[in-house]
mmCIF file of all heavy atoms in Angstrom:
data_model
loop_
_atom_site.group_PDB
_atom_site.id
_atom_site.type_symbol
_atom_site.label_atom_id
_atom_site.label_comp_id
_atom_site.label_asym_id
_atom_site.label_seq_id
_atom_site.Cartn_x
_atom_site.Cartn_y
_atom_site.Cartn_z
ATOM 1 N N PRO A 1 112.243 90.200 113.045
ATOM 2 C CA PRO A 1 111.407 89.858 111.917
ATOM 3 C C PRO A 1 109.920 89.974 112.229
ATOM 4 O O PRO A 1 109.468 89.539 113.276
ATOM 5 C CB PRO A 1 111.823 88.413 111.593
ATOM 6 C CG PRO A 1 113.128 88.222 112.245
ATOM 7 C CD PRO A 1 113.106 89.099 113.471
ATOM 8 N N PHE A 2 109.162 90.582 111.322
ATOM 9 C CA PHE A 2 107.705 90.631 111.447
ATOM 10 C C PHE A 2 107.085 90.685 110.048
ATOM 11 O O PHE A 2 107.754 90.970 109.068
ATOM 12 C CB PHE A 2 107.250 91.834 112.302
ATOM 13 C CG PHE A 2 107.734 93.171 111.825
ATOM 14 C CD1 PHE A 2 107.088 93.850 110.781
ATOM 15 C CD2 PHE A 2 108.828 93.795 112.411
ATOM 16 C CE1 PHE A 2 107.509 95.080 110.323
ATOM 17 C CE2 PHE A 2 109.259 95.040 111.966
ATOM 18 C CZ PHE A 2 108.589 95.668 110.932
ATOM 19 N N ASN A 3 105.794 90.430 109.998
ATOM 20 C CA ASN A 3 105.086 90.373 108.733
ATOM 21 C C ASN A 3 104.727 91.726 108.197
ATOM 22 O O ASN A 3 104.529 92.696 108.953
ATOM 23 C CB ASN A 3 103.802 89.557 108.884
ATOM 24 C CG ASN A 3 104.039 88.075 108.768
ATOM 25 O OD1 ASN A 3 105.062 87.621 108.322
ATOM 26 N ND2 ASN A 3 103.074 87.264 109.208
ATOM 27 N N ALA A 4 104.563 91.776 106.870
ATOM 28 C CA ALA A 4 103.916 92.880 106.192
ATOM 29 C C ALA A 4 102.667 92.332 105.503
ATOM 30 O O ALA A 4 102.498 91.132 105.334
ATOM 31 C CB ALA A 4 104.857 93.499 105.156
ATOM 32 N N HIS A 5 101.775 93.253 105.105
ATOM 33 C CA HIS A 5 100.607 92.876 104.345
ATOM 34 C C HIS A 5 100.844 93.019 102.858
ATOM 35 O O HIS A 5 101.422 94.044 102.425
ATOM 36 C CB HIS A 5 99.378 93.772 104.669
ATOM 37 C CG HIS A 5 98.801 93.571 106.013
ATOM 38 N ND1 HIS A 5 98.985 94.442 107.059
ATOM 39 C CD2 HIS A 5 97.966 92.594 106.493
ATOM 40 C CE1 HIS A 5 98.301 94.039 108.122
ATOM 41 N NE2 HIS A 5 97.677 92.911 107.811
ATOM 42 N N TYR A 6 100.358 92.077 102.095
ATOM 43 C CA TYR A 6 100.220 92.210 100.645
ATOM 44 C C TYR A 6 98.770 91.863 100.339
ATOM 45 O O TYR A 6 98.011 91.535 101.260
ATOM 46 C CB TYR A 6 101.234 91.306 99.922
ATOM 47 C CG TYR A 6 102.659 91.628 100.327
ATOM 48 C CD1 TYR A 6 103.267 90.924 101.393
ATOM 49 C CD2 TYR A 6 103.351 92.643 99.710
ATOM 50 C CE1 TYR A 6 104.550 91.271 101.803
ATOM 51 C CE2 TYR A 6 104.640 92.988 100.132
ATOM 52 C CZ TYR A 6 105.235 92.289 101.192
ATOM 53 O OH TYR A 6 106.497 92.631 101.570
ATOM 54 N N CYS A 7 98.362 91.946 99.122
ATOM 55 C CA CYS A 7 96.914 91.783 98.883
ATOM 56 C C CYS A 7 96.626 91.363 97.442
ATOM 57 O O CYS A 7 97.335 91.768 96.510
ATOM 58 C CB CYS A 7 96.198 93.118 99.168
ATOM 59 S SG CYS A 7 94.415 92.984 99.258
ATOM 60 N N LYS A 8 95.594 90.555 97.300
ATOM 61 C CA LYS A 8 95.070 90.231 95.974
ATOM 62 C C LYS A 8 94.250 91.426 95.459
ATOM 63 O O LYS A 8 93.618 92.135 96.244
ATOM 64 C CB LYS A 8 94.187 89.015 96.056
ATOM 65 C CG LYS A 8 94.861 87.748 96.577
ATOM 66 C CD LYS A 8 93.849 86.645 96.813
ATOM 67 C CE LYS A 8 94.500 85.441 97.471
ATOM 68 N NZ LYS A 8 93.506 84.393 97.814
ATOM 69 N N PRO A 9 94.222 91.644 94.167
ATOM 70 C CA PRO A 9 93.359 92.703 93.598
ATOM 71 C C PRO A 9 91.911 92.332 93.735
ATOM 72 O O PRO A 9 91.535 91.145 93.671
ATOM 73 C CB PRO A 9 93.810 92.791 92.135
ATOM 74 C CG PRO A 9 94.417 91.466 91.850
ATOM 75 C CD PRO A 9 95.031 90.943 93.105
ATOM 76 N N ASN A 10 91.082 93.333 93.938
ATOM 77 C CA ASN A 10 89.646 93.104 94.055
ATOM 78 C C ASN A 10 88.967 94.418 93.613
ATOM 79 O O ASN A 10 89.272 95.511 94.109
ATOM 80 C CB ASN A 10 89.284 92.786 95.500
ATOM 81 C CG ASN A 10 87.849 92.394 95.687
ATOM 82 O OD1 ASN A 10 86.932 92.915 95.036
ATOM 83 N ND2 ASN A 10 87.578 91.443 96.590
ATOM 84 N N ASP A 11 88.056 94.333 92.670
ATOM 85 C CA ASP A 11 87.412 95.503 92.133
ATOM 86 C C ASP A 11 86.591 96.281 93.166
ATOM 87 O O ASP A 11 86.220 97.441 92.941
ATOM 88 C CB ASP A 11 86.508 95.155 90.938
ATOM 89 C CG ASP A 11 87.320 94.708 89.710
ATOM 90 O OD1 ASP A 11 88.530 95.020 89.668
ATOM 91 O OD2 ASP A 11 86.743 94.078 88.822
ATOM 92 N N ALA A 12 86.297 95.630 94.302
ATOM 93 C CA ALA A 12 85.556 96.340 95.358
ATOM 94 C C ALA A 12 86.422 97.296 96.155
ATOM 95 O O ALA A 12 85.892 98.146 96.876
ATOM 96 C CB ALA A 12 84.928 95.282 96.306
ATOM 97 N N GLN A 13 87.732 97.204 96.031
ATOM 98 C CA GLN A 13 88.616 98.114 96.740
ATOM 99 C C GLN A 13 88.461 99.541 96.240
ATOM 100 O O GLN A 13 88.375 99.785 95.028
ATOM 101 C CB GLN A 13 90.055 97.661 96.586
ATOM 102 C CG GLN A 13 90.357 96.327 97.227
ATOM 103 C CD GLN A 13 91.681 95.717 96.792
ATOM 104 O OE1 GLN A 13 92.419 96.361 96.035
ATOM 105 N NE2 GLN A 13 91.973 94.524 97.281
ATOM 106 N N ARG A 14 88.423 100.499 97.172
ATOM 107 C CA ARG A 14 88.282 101.909 96.820
ATOM 108 C C ARG A 14 89.595 102.607 97.038
ATOM 109 O O ARG A 14 89.996 102.880 98.189
ATOM 110 C CB ARG A 14 87.143 102.543 97.638
ATOM 111 C CG ARG A 14 85.774 101.941 97.369
ATOM 112 C CD ARG A 14 84.658 102.739 98.039
ATOM 113 N NE ARG A 14 84.710 102.688 99.478
ATOM 114 C CZ ARG A 14 84.147 101.772 100.243
ATOM 115 N NH1 ARG A 14 83.455 100.765 99.659
ATOM 116 N NH2 ARG A 14 84.231 101.789 101.548
ATOM 117 N N TRP A 15 90.278 102.932 95.943
ATOM 118 C CA TRP A 15 91.586 103.555 95.977
ATOM 119 C C TRP A 15 91.486 105.075 95.814
ATOM 120 O O TRP A 15 90.671 105.565 95.043
ATOM 121 C CB TRP A 15 92.489 102.979 94.895
ATOM 122 C CG TRP A 15 93.004 101.604 95.269
ATOM 123 C CD1 TRP A 15 92.424 100.400 94.966
ATOM 124 C CD2 TRP A 15 94.139 101.327 96.040
ATOM 125 N NE1 TRP A 15 93.177 99.395 95.509
ATOM 126 C CE2 TRP A 15 94.244 99.916 96.184
ATOM 127 C CE3 TRP A 15 95.148 102.140 96.632
ATOM 128 C CZ2 TRP A 15 95.268 99.306 96.871
ATOM 129 C CZ3 TRP A 15 96.173 101.504 97.337
ATOM 130 C CH2 TRP A 15 96.234 100.104 97.433
ATOM 131 N N ASN A 16 92.298 105.832 96.556
ATOM 132 C CA ASN A 16 92.228 107.279 96.615
ATOM 133 C C ASN A 16 93.608 107.874 96.603
ATOM 134 O O ASN A 16 94.611 107.253 96.988
ATOM 135 C CB ASN A 16 91.530 107.729 97.903
ATOM 136 C CG ASN A 16 90.146 107.151 98.090
ATOM 137 O OD1 ASN A 16 89.146 107.761 97.726
ATOM 138 N ND2 ASN A 16 90.054 105.952 98.657
ATOM 139 N N TYR A 17 93.698 109.144 96.198
ATOM 140 C CA TYR A 17 94.893 109.939 96.351
ATOM 141 C C TYR A 17 94.411 111.392 96.531
ATOM 142 O O TYR A 17 93.240 111.686 96.419
ATOM 143 C CB TYR A 17 95.839 109.822 95.139
ATOM 144 C CG TYR A 17 95.500 110.753 94.001
ATOM 145 C CD1 TYR A 17 96.374 111.743 93.603
ATOM 146 C CD2 TYR A 17 94.295 110.632 93.277
ATOM 147 C CE1 TYR A 17 96.108 112.619 92.539
ATOM 148 C CE2 TYR A 17 94.015 111.490 92.205
ATOM 149 C CZ TYR A 17 94.893 112.474 91.861
ATOM 150 O OH TYR A 17 94.624 113.315 90.819
ATOM 151 N N TYR A 18 95.367 112.267 96.861
ATOM 152 C CA TYR A 18 95.032 113.703 96.956
ATOM 153 C C TYR A 18 95.876 114.442 95.904
ATOM 154 O O TYR A 18 97.093 114.384 95.917
ATOM 155 C CB TYR A 18 95.350 114.235 98.341
ATOM 156 C CG TYR A 18 94.379 113.761 99.402
ATOM 157 C CD1 TYR A 18 94.667 112.597 100.144
ATOM 158 C CD2 TYR A 18 93.201 114.471 99.671
ATOM 159 C CE1 TYR A 18 93.771 112.127 101.101
ATOM 160 C CE2 TYR A 18 92.322 113.994 100.631
ATOM 161 C CZ TYR A 18 92.600 112.860 101.350
ATOM 162 O OH TYR A 18 91.726 112.390 102.280
ATOM 163 N N SER A 19 95.181 115.108 95.028
ATOM 164 C CA SER A 19 95.901 115.805 93.917
ATOM 165 C C SER A 19 96.666 117.007 94.429
ATOM 166 O O SER A 19 96.279 117.673 95.375
ATOM 167 C CB SER A 19 94.866 116.251 92.864
ATOM 168 O OG SER A 19 93.889 117.130 93.453
ATOM 169 N N ALA A 20 97.795 117.272 93.785
ATOM 170 C CA ALA A 20 98.569 118.503 94.002
ATOM 171 C C ALA A 20 98.856 118.783 95.461
ATOM 172 O O ALA A 20 98.700 119.899 95.943
ATOM 173 C CB ALA A 20 97.864 119.696 93.350
ATOM 174 N N MET A 21 99.304 117.756 96.191
ATOM 175 C CA MET A 21 99.658 117.975 97.587
ATOM 176 C C MET A 21 100.808 118.984 97.736
ATOM 177 O O MET A 21 101.758 118.967 96.935
ATOM 178 C CB MET A 21 100.073 116.663 98.271
ATOM 179 C CG MET A 21 98.908 115.765 98.635
ATOM 180 S SD MET A 21 99.451 114.283 99.553
ATOM 181 C CE MET A 21 100.226 115.032 101.001
ATOM 182 N N THR A 22 100.733 119.829 98.745
ATOM 183 C CA THR A 22 101.758 120.820 98.997
ATOM 184 C C THR A 22 102.540 120.464 100.244
ATOM 185 O O THR A 22 102.134 119.598 101.018
ATOM 186 C CB THR A 22 101.172 122.238 99.170
ATOM 187 O OG1 THR A 22 100.491 122.305 100.445
ATOM 188 C CG2 THR A 22 100.149 122.532 98.059
ATOM 189 N N ARG A 23 103.643 121.187 100.456
ATOM 190 C CA ARG A 23 104.444 120.984 101.677
ATOM 191 C C ARG A 23 103.669 121.297 102.952
ATOM 192 O O ARG A 23 104.055 120.872 104.047
ATOM 193 C CB ARG A 23 105.683 121.871 101.603
ATOM 194 C CG ARG A 23 106.773 121.399 100.677
ATOM 195 C CD ARG A 23 107.957 122.343 100.747
ATOM 196 N NE ARG A 23 109.131 121.798 100.028
ATOM 197 C CZ ARG A 23 110.300 122.365 99.980
ATOM 198 N NH1 ARG A 23 110.514 123.537 100.634
ATOM 199 N NH2 ARG A 23 111.314 121.826 99.320
ATOM 200 N N ASP A 24 102.609 122.073 102.827
ATOM 201 C CA ASP A 24 101.821 122.444 104.011
ATOM 202 C C ASP A 24 100.761 121.406 104.401
ATOM 203 O O ASP A 24 99.982 121.628 105.317
ATOM 204 C CB ASP A 24 101.135 123.787 103.782
ATOM 205 C CG ASP A 24 102.096 124.932 103.782
ATOM 206 O OD1 ASP A 24 103.253 124.779 104.289
ATOM 207 O OD2 ASP A 24 101.732 126.023 103.303
ATOM 208 N N GLU A 25 100.694 120.314 103.675
ATOM 209 C CA GLU A 25 99.678 119.277 103.907
ATOM 210 C C GLU A 25 100.303 117.991 104.319
ATOM 211 O O GLU A 25 101.395 117.614 103.824
ATOM 212 C CB GLU A 25 98.823 119.082 102.651
ATOM 213 C CG GLU A 25 98.052 120.336 102.231
ATOM 214 C CD GLU A 25 97.372 120.210 100.891
ATOM 215 O OE1 GLU A 25 97.801 119.381 100.065
ATOM 216 O OE2 GLU A 25 96.406 120.943 100.662
ATOM 217 N N ALA A 26 99.632 117.251 105.199
ATOM 218 C CA ALA A 26 100.118 115.965 105.666
ATOM 219 C C ALA A 26 99.064 114.912 105.437
ATOM 220 O O ALA A 26 97.891 115.081 105.838
ATOM 221 C CB ALA A 26 100.504 116.017 107.136
#
């Protein structure tokens, strides 16, 4: 057994994703 992180929402957080990822990208 070990812990995981969860989190409260905060508008200062900067969320990102990468559009249209392909199989050739990691």
